[in-house]
Amino acid sequence: MDPPRKRIIVIIGGGVIGCTTAYFLTRHPKFDPELHTLILLEAASIAAGASGKAGGLLGLWAYPECLVPLSYRLHRELAGKHGGAERWGYRRLGCASVRAMVKSSDLKSRSEQKPPQTSLVPVPVPVPVHVPVPKDESKTWEKLPKQDEKAAALLSESSLPSDLDWVDGKLINHYEEMGLPGFTETAQVHPFDFTNSMADLAREKGVDIRLRAKVTKINHSKAGVRSIEYEDRDKAGEIRFIDDVTDVVIAAGPWTGKLLPRSKVEGLKSHSVVFDADVSPYAVFTEIQLPTDYVPEHRAARGQKRKHRGNVDPEIYARPGNEVYACGEHDWSTPLPETADLVQPDEVQCDDLIAYIGTVSPVLGAAPIKAKQACYLPRHVRFGEDRGPLIGQTTVPGLWVASGHTCWGIQNGPATGCLMSELLLDGATHSADIDKLHPKKFKV
């Protein structure tokens, strides 16, 4: 038997996939800090992208099936081992889909019930800016790919729970619960806290985490990887090198395609908002039919029409710590920037989301806004279709990829990290069969 060899393993990306990979490598029985040097390079900060701005929903009904059961279980085990309930907000919660019909009279009566302005300070009236939205730009709402057909089939019709009191029950004409115990369970974490906790726990075991380190080149040949070049963004763009690299794991989310174009991983921009509100623990997928004459106040003030025709479908997740997260549709208009800290939200799109949610939830409609934000979800796209994540070694020995998880990166992060540790240190996976996700199947 050959003696164990020294290895320098570089992980590119400080999102949930990179951080869980670092964590599970340091917990693998074969990990030896005398032999294994682990370096994680992140171009901005830990969880600067989607891993910090996602909803953090976990579901046994998620996809792909080869990852979900393992990852859902690992989330529970990690929370039990490291105090996840307190540290990163792990908990079970109810999950449902609702259909609501909002009439003009509903909004009018609600407006009439608002308390009168009591401030003695004169409130300036904004001058409307007439920037109409052309008719041909009115569009239907584009759903995020969270619930696939299998998940939708698991919904069961039921009545609106009494504790889901932050949704106006008078407007709900259909409520379906996602709730078969042990089969369609739903839980959650706070994604920013979870990802940073995984990074901290990996660092405690010796992982060298370098922030604001933007990888510019992976030097390799057909024989394998050799070195990494990266820009030190804190040193005026100074280029640094890591030599004698044996393994590189590209877990750079939507930036994976920049480093490895043949991976076909690209970014899908999504906007979200965070409300400052303490409500009962539910994740709610909505389908809201708005009045034909309804125009959100922020657009009316600009002389604009409503952007969306027909129904709108925001997703709303209550979170611990007096937070409610909500996300909207995807956005194709803005290209992926160089680094995650350069992503800018479109405030008007965030305001659309806030307004639509306010039509069915007076509680959230009156709540302060903690954040308006945007991120890019990593999609592995072939022939115009999402093909699921890529996990494994590419055609180059020692060059690995773990990316393309779309909207289920937080859910499937622990399984991906665990399986990557097995691939790197055992040479094969034992915890799940992920052959269908192998990069070589796609000639990556």
Side-chain angles (χ1 to χ4, degrees), residues 24 66-67 69-71 73-74 414-415 418-419 421-422 426 428-434:
F24 279 101
C66 58
L67 288 178
L70 171 64
S71 213
R73 173 173 62 81
L74 288 173
C418 173
L419 295 164
S421 73
E422 293 175 355
D426 293 330
T429 61
H430 312 297
S431 299
D433 180 0
I434 55 168

Side-chain angles (χ1 to χ4, degrees), residues 432-444:
D433 180 0
I434 55 168
D435 186 61
K436 63 186 285 187
L437 308 179
H438 201 296
K440 291 182 181 178
K441 284 189 172 291
F442 304 96
K443 298 181 180 178
V444 176

